Amino acid sequence: MQPLLRPIEKKDNAVMKAIVQRSLEEFGLDKPGTAYFDSELEDLTQAYERDQSGYWVLELEGQVIGGVGVFPYVIKEGRAIAEMQKLYIDQAYRGRGFARLLIEQAIDFSRQHYDALYLETSSDLKVDRLYEHFGFKKLEGPIGGGVHSAMDLWYLMEF
């Protein structure tokens, strides 16, 4: 069965918070400096309501199994840069290509509104090859002083 990709709804907030936090716990990243403690996890729907942002979830057989967000990040050298945020898939559904669907959504949306798409991640998650497969280029450090100080990998895709 094909998953349904759709904008987040209020009813999805608690499920996505649980997926994000369980995923971070799994990799020992349930600590300050990660999304684990982000206040917007309480209400992702509201956090991504602003213009040129969005959060999408994947639903499979009526169950939300993951999500991804795009949010305005910074204007650097006259270029508007978005950040891909909170890309998480429930552990039971990893390895099936679902992350690809979410990343493609974030890239497609960002191309329409921004000059580039940025992301921060942790080497503990072992996702660097995934991002490089999509054409993200590894950076030496964060752009604009990122808020997640525990992250040690930074990527940028320019459009």
Side-chain angles (χ1 to χ4, degrees):
M1 177 175 232
Q2 275 293 74
L4 171 66
L5 178 65
R6 62 171 175 77
I8 193 169
E9 299 173 8
K10 281 271 187 206
K11 67 180 181 174
D12 307 321
N13 284 330
V15 173
M16 277 312 307
K17 177 182 179 181
I19 289 171
V20 169
Q21 289 185 329
R22 275 195 315 262
S23 297
L24 290 168
E25 289 166 1
E26 177 186 345
F27 290 96
L29 292 169
D30 51 337
K31 59 186 177 184
T34 70
Y36 193 89
F37 293 102
D38 285 358
S39 60
E40 64 261 16
L41 280 181
E42 297 301 323
D43 192 346
L44 287 170
T45 307
Q46 181 181 14
Y48 288 89
E49 281 181 341
R50 71 186 289 181
D51 286 345
Q52 297 183 338
S53 68
Y55 197 92
W56 301 269
V57 296
L58 270 180
E59 185 180 300
L60 187 64
E61 298 177 354
Q63 179 181 347
V64 171
I65 62 167
V68 68
V70 171
F71 200 79
Y73 187 66
V74 69
I75 295 181
K76 185 175 174 128
E77 299 167 1
R79 297 174 47 98
I81 300 173
E83 183 179 17
M84 183 167 63
Q85 302 176 337
K86 295 173 182 58
L87 169 63
Y88 292 95
I89 303 283
D90 184 279
Q91 182 182 24
Y93 298 94
R94 291 186 202 140
R96 301 184 194 182
F98 294 139
R100 176 185 53 81
L101 299 172
L102 293 168
I103 293 169
E104 288 171 351
Q105 172 64 32
I107 291 169
D108 291 346
F109 179 84
S110 298
R111 274 189 211 281
Q112 297 171 37
H113 301 284
Y114 295 96
D115 300 309
L117 181 60
Y118 171 73
L119 69 91
E120 300 175 339
T121 190
S122 170
S123 55
D124 293 334
L125 298 174
K126 302 190 182 348
V127 291
D128 44 330
R129 286 194 356 220
L130 174 66
Y131 293 127
E132 290 168 6
H133 168 78
F134 278 94
F136 284 91
K137 304 294 182 213
K138 192 181 285 189
L139 303 175
E140 295 296 317
I143 296 176
V147 295
H148 295 124
S149 58
M151 300 298 100
D152 61 355
L153 292 175
W154 309 272
Y155 290 90
L156 185 69
M157 175 184 282
E158 299 187 60
F159 306 123

